[in-house]
Amino acid sequence: MTQYAGIGEAKWIGLENYQAIFQDHRYLQVLKNTLVYGITVVIFQNGLGLIFASILYNIPKVRNMLRTALLVPSMLSLVIAGYIWQYLYSPLGGGLNELLASIGLGNFQQVWLGDSQIAIFSVAAVHVWMFVGYSTAIFLAGYAGISSEVKDAARVDGVSPIKSFFYIDIPLLAPAITVNITLATIGTLKSFEYPFIMTGGGPDYSTMTLGLRIFMLIFQEFKYGMAAALSVVMIVFVALITILQNSYLRSREDKI
């Protein structure tokens, strides 16, 4: 509740920082970006992780090898991964556009990090690529807790693999789903590394997240009071979403 630049006396201004946050369209855009980023990562990271885990569970001969391969991206430094993908997304000679051109899909080439409509999803895709292995590992641990008798009984009754996945696997993986969604939600809502490295929050604020905005307020604009107020908003934002999410997921577990 102060105006403070890091040196000198802090000036008491009451709730003015909070008023600025909720009246300035830029901060509302930051909240929206953070929510879009979080939803995108949570859905795709856990969706792909569940699919990979199901495939690996049913192919035990390659399970350990492929599980290790999926975890390799998470062993990289976040900074290194960000710079690698910044190069791959480059519109001039970048690996992704060159690949699309080489397989006859040149019409799908994009300015991946320079288009405000798709930049946030391009950055989110890197987050998914890096941590989908973690989600897969947790789902595989959940599969280990499913009784083989249940799967065998379903197979004997002629249940197809797709129906078994939706009506047996997913319900019995409820605890693993709760863990994965909770971890992914908390991790993405406070994320700032990839937007900072790859886009700096641009273009036109389209990839500016709460974590990145707080970082810039402190280290570039020296607005410590505003940064502290936005940090409180982020804490409340993350806490509310996590509480609501956990309440639903836990109630789902209790019904099983």
Side-chain angles (χ1 to χ4, degrees):
M1 296 185 180
T2 64
Q3 187 179 67
Y4 182 54
I7 57 174
E9 293 292 328
K11 179 184 176 183
W12 178 266
I13 58 172
L15 297 176
E16 289 184 21
N17 285 327
Y18 294 97
Q19 291 175 351
I21 289 171
F22 291 104
Q23 291 176 359
D24 190 333
H25 70 91
R26 293 179 303 171
Y27 287 107
L28 297 179
Q29 179 68 31
V30 169
L31 288 171
K32 178 184 174 182
N33 291 343
T34 304
L35 192 59
V36 169
Y37 185 86
I39 291 173
T40 302
V41 171
V42 168
I43 290 175
F44 283 94
Q45 180 178 318
N46 289 292
L48 290 173
L50 183 56
I51 292 171
F52 291 153
S54 177
I55 294 171
L56 294 179
Y57 174 76
N58 290 292
I59 311 177
K61 291 183 179 180
V62 297
R63 185 183 304 161
N64 291 332
M65 181 181 67
L66 293 182
R67 178 168 53 188
T68 303
L70 286 170
L71 287 170
V72 167
S74 64
M75 299 176 187
L76 290 174
S77 161
L78 294 174
V79 175
I80 292 174
Y83 280 119
I84 289 173
W85 277 94
Q86 186 183 52
Y87 169 73
L88 292 174
Y89 278 139
S90 174
L92 301 175
L96 184 54
N97 278 344
E98 290 299 314
L99 175 63
L100 290 172
S102 68
I103 60 176
L105 297 176
N107 291 334
F108 290 93
Q109 291 180 330
Q110 301 286 338
V111 183
W112 300 100
L113 299 177
D115 186 338
S116 60
Q117 299 298 316
I118 63 172
I120 190 71
F121 300 107
S122 299
V123 176
V126 179
H127 195 123
V128 172
W129 167 81
M130 190 160 193
F131 293 106
V132 69
Y134 276 131
S135 297
T136 302
I138 292 173
F139 281 129
L140 280 173
Y143 265 111
I146 297 178
S147 172
S148 59
E149 295 178 358
V150 174
K151 301 287 286 185
D152 292 339
R155 196 176 298 110
V156 170
D157 289 339
V159 177
S160 68
I162 294 178
K163 285 187 176 181
S164 177
F165 176 75
F166 283 104
Y167 295 104
I168 296 177
D169 295 3
I170 290 180
L172 294 178
L173 287 172
I177 291 173
T178 299
V179 171
N180 264 329
I181 290 180
T182 301
L183 291 176
T185 300
I186 295 172
T188 53
L189 293 182
K190 64 182 181 64
S191 178
F192 90 96
E193 295 93 341
Y194 292 128
F196 175 66
I197 294 165
M198 299 174 68
T199 63
D204 193 28
Y205 252 63
S206 62
T207 60
M208 184 69 69
T209 61
L210 279 169
L212 178 55
R213 186 62 188 140
I214 292 167
F215 177 87
M216 289 185 167
L217 283 170
I218 295 174
F219 294 105
Q220 294 185 6
E221 301 178 27
F222 305 105
K223 295 180 179 179
Y224 286 75
M226 179 64 80
L230 194 59
S231 297
V232 173
V233 171
M234 183 174 75
I235 291 170
V236 174
F237 184 61
V238 174
L240 284 175
I241 290 176
T242 304
I243 290 170
L244 292 173
Q245 191 180 71
N246 275 348
S247 297
Y248 169 74
L249 292 172
R250 294 296 182 187
S251 65
R252 181 174 174 271
E253 288 183 34
D254 292 340
K255 293 178 182 178
I256 297 174

